[in-house]
Coordinates of all heavy atoms in Angstrom, one line a residue:
Chain B
G1 N 88.7 78.8 121.5 CA 89.2 79.9 122.3 C 88.4 81.1 122.2 O 87.4 81.2 121.5
E2 N 88.7 82.2 122.9 CA 88.0 83.4 122.9 C 88.2 84.1 121.6 O 89.2 84.0 121.0 CB 88.4 84.3 124.1 CG 89.8 84.7 124.0 CD 90.4 84.9 125.4 OE1 89.8 84.5 126.4 OE2 91.4 85.6 125.5
S3 N 87.2 84.8 121.1 CA 87.3 85.5 119.9 C 86.2 86.6 119.8 O 85.2 86.6 120.5 CB 87.1 84.6 118.7 OG 85.8 84.1 118.7
V4 N 86.5 87.6 119.1 CA 85.6 88.7 118.8 C 85.4 88.7 117.3 O 86.4 88.8 116.5 CB 86.1 90.0 119.3 CG1 85.1 91.1 118.9 CG2 86.2 90.0 120.8
G5 N 84.2 88.5 116.8 CA 84.0 88.5 115.3 C 83.0 89.5 114.9 O 82.2 90.0 115.7
A24 N 80.1 90.1 117.3 CA 79.8 89.0 118.3 C 81.0 88.7 119.1 O 82.1 88.8 118.6 CB 79.3 87.8 117.6
Y25 N 80.8 88.5 120.4 CA 82.0 88.1 121.2 C 81.6 86.8 121.9 O 80.5 86.4 122.0 CB 82.4 89.2 122.2 CG 81.3 89.5 123.3 CD1 81.4 88.8 124.5 CD2 80.3 90.4 123.0 CE1 80.4 89.1 125.5 CE2 79.4 90.6 124.0 CZ 79.4 90.0 125.2 OH 78.5 90.3 126.2
S26 N 82.7 86.0 122.3 CA 82.4 84.7 122.8 C 82.8 84.6 124.3 O 82.5 83.6 124.9 CB 83.1 83.7 122.0 OG 84.5 83.9 122.0
N27 N 83.6 85.5 124.8 CA 84.1 85.4 126.2 C 83.1 86.0 127.2 O 83.0 87.2 127.3 CB 85.4 86.0 126.3 CG 86.1 85.6 127.6 OD1 85.5 85.3 128.6 ND2 87.4 85.7 127.6
E92 N 87.3 93.6 123.0 CA 86.8 93.3 124.3 C 88.0 93.1 125.3 O 89.1 92.7 124.8 CB 86.0 92.0 124.3 CG 86.7 90.8 123.8 CD 85.9 89.5 124.0 OE1 85.3 89.3 125.0 OE2 85.9 88.7 123.0
I102 N 91.1 92.1 122.9 CA 90.9 91.1 121.8 C 90.1 91.8 120.7 O 88.9 92.2 121.0 CB 90.2 89.9 122.4 CG1 91.0 89.2 123.5 CG2 90.0 88.9 121.2 CD1 90.3 88.1 124.2
F103 N 90.7 91.9 119.6 CA 90.0 92.6 118.4 C 89.4 91.6 117.5 O 89.9 90.5 117.3 CB 91.1 93.4 117.6 CG 91.5 94.7 118.3 CD1 92.4 94.7 119.3 CD2 90.9 95.9 117.8 CE1 92.8 95.9 119.8 CE2 91.3 97.1 118.4 CZ 92.3 97.1 119.4
G104 N 88.4 92.0 116.8 CA 87.8 91.2 115.7 C 88.6 91.6 114.4 O 89.5 92.4 114.5

Side-chain angles (χ1 to χ4, degrees):
Chain B
E2 59 208 22
S3 66
V4 177
Y25 65 94
S26 60
N27 192 335
E92 61 173 314
I102 300 173
F103 284 81

